[in-house]
Amino acid sequence: MDLRIEKREVSGLKLFRANTMSSDMIEVMPRLADVEADVQALIEAHMETLLGVRFLASEYGTGPVRGGRIDSLGLDENGSPVIVEYKRGVDSGVINQGLFYLSWLVDHRAEFEYLVRDRLGATAVSQVRWSGPRLI
């Protein structure tokens, strides 16, 4: 049996903006954000609309021993905790960092629940579901 692998270029999705002065559509050219913080601020301001996640905290510290900072924390529509990490790179360190934060979160459930209580109230804490925390 002869297997051949053919490399194909797949065109990306295009984004358009409607011109309010006419019926024309204007293509929006993609570009990388200048700094990660710009993307983070935009996502956090519209997290529920874009990701279906209620925003809880930004740059959440993991304590002096581990010394990390989770970019954004939230709660999804099912009550599951969500970590959002913003990265320009695509190396394995990106995944490792996110998995480290996810592990930290599962080990610090009470701390997360205190955050939920402070931001959303006691009723929201009773609805937190730890069966499927997510990393985006």
Side-chain angles (χ1 to χ4, degrees):
M1 180 181 204
D2 185 20
L3 294 176
R4 294 175 192 237
I5 298 174
E6 181 178 325
K7 184 177 178 181
R8 289 185 171 183
E9 292 295 321
V10 178
S11 63
L13 295 175
K14 293 185 176 185
L15 181 63
F16 293 88
R17 177 174 41 89
N19 185 340
T20 57
M21 305 304 268
S22 69
S23 60
D24 294 338
M25 298 296 287
I26 301 166
E27 185 175 357
V28 177
M29 300 309 294
R31 66 174 179 81
L32 286 176
D34 293 331
V35 291
E36 201 175 280
D38 292 342
V39 174
Q40 182 173 348
L42 179 66
I43 297 294
E44 288 177 351
H46 305 283
M47 191 173 277
E48 194 153 4
T49 301
L50 296 170
L51 303 175
V53 174
R54 293 174 74 181
F55 174 73
L56 294 174
S58 182
E59 298 298 325
Y60 191 83
T62 60
V65 174
R66 299 202 184 189
R69 298 185 75 72
I70 297 171
D71 290 342
S72 303
L73 274 174
L75 202 58
D76 74 10
E77 64 276 1
N78 300 314
S80 295
V82 178
I83 294 172
V84 182
E85 281 295 310
Y86 311 91
K87 297 292 178 223
R88 289 175 55 103
V90 293
D91 62 71
S92 63
V94 171
I95 299 298
N96 290 336
Q97 182 181 12
L99 292 175
F100 167 80
Y101 288 144
L102 189 58
S103 174
W104 180 90
L105 182 66
V106 170
D107 286 343
H108 292 80
R109 292 178 184 196
E111 189 172 333
F112 180 80
E113 290 174 356
Y114 287 131
L115 174 66
V116 171
R117 182 183 352 256
D118 289 347
R119 299 289 198 273
L120 305 176
T123 303
V125 173
S126 67
Q127 297 171 349
V128 173
R129 301 289 171 252
W130 287 100
S131 58
R134 298 186 326 173
L135 170 63
I136 299 174

